[in-house]
Amino acid sequence: MQNNFVWDDRLGISVPHLNKPWGTYDKALQAAILLHWEKIRGTIPDRIGQIEKHINELQDQLSSEENFEISCELNYKIASLASVINDLWLWYRLNQNISSKIHG
C-alpha cells in the first residue's frame, strides 16, 4: 500500500500516487488507501502551522533588514513558503470528498 503514496519534499508530506484507475483497486485496498490518506491529511494543518511559524520568523528578519539583496532573498523565501501552504490547503480541501468516502 505504501506504493500508493510518494514523499513530496516540498510539501513535507506523502501524497497519493495511484498507478491505475481508482475503480480497478479492490474495495479492501481502496479502504486501506483512504484510511492511510486520512491519517496523512490530518497532519496537514500542523504542517501548515510549522510553515507559518517559519514565515513569521522570516518576516521579522525582513522588517529589520537593510540590505536590498538579502531583503529580496527573504521575500522570495516567504513567497515560496506561502506557495507551499497554498498547495497543502488544496490537498486538504480537494480530498475532503475522498475522505468522506471512508465514513460513507
Side-chain angles (χ1 to χ4, degrees):
M1 206 243 332
Q2 293 296 336
N3 296 345
N4 298 308
F5 292 86
V6 294
W7 181 256
D8 187 307
D9 282 331
R10 181 176 164 271
L11 299 179
I13 62 167
S14 292
V15 295
H17 179 74
L18 303 179
N19 297 319
K20 57 186 183 176
W22 180 250
T24 62
Y25 291 92
D26 66 58
K27 297 295 181 198
L29 184 54
Q30 285 181 358
I33 291 169
L34 290 172
L35 183 60
H36 188 71
W37 170 247
E38 186 66 16
K39 290 177 184 175
I40 294 169
R41 185 177 171 271
T43 67
I44 290 175
D46 290 337
R47 176 76 181 124
I48 289 170
Q50 293 169 345
I51 296 169
E52 287 174 338
K53 182 179 178 196
H54 190 193
I55 287 174
N56 289 337
E57 291 167 356
L58 293 172
Q59 286 175 328
D60 287 345
Q61 289 177 1
L62 181 61
S63 68
S64 61
E65 184 56 57
E66 295 181 16
N67 182 303
F68 180 73
E69 289 180 17
I70 294 174
S71 293
C72 290
E73 285 179 34
L74 290 170
N75 271 318
Y76 177 78
K77 288 178 184 178
I78 290 167
S80 295
L81 290 171
S83 174
V84 171
I85 288 174
N86 185 58
D87 289 349
L88 285 168
W89 277 125
L90 288 173
W91 273 107
Y92 187 79
R93 290 184 183 127
L94 281 174
N95 290 291
Q96 282 177 323
N97 294 336
I98 293 171
S99 295
S100 68
K101 290 181 182 180
I102 294 172
H103 309 292

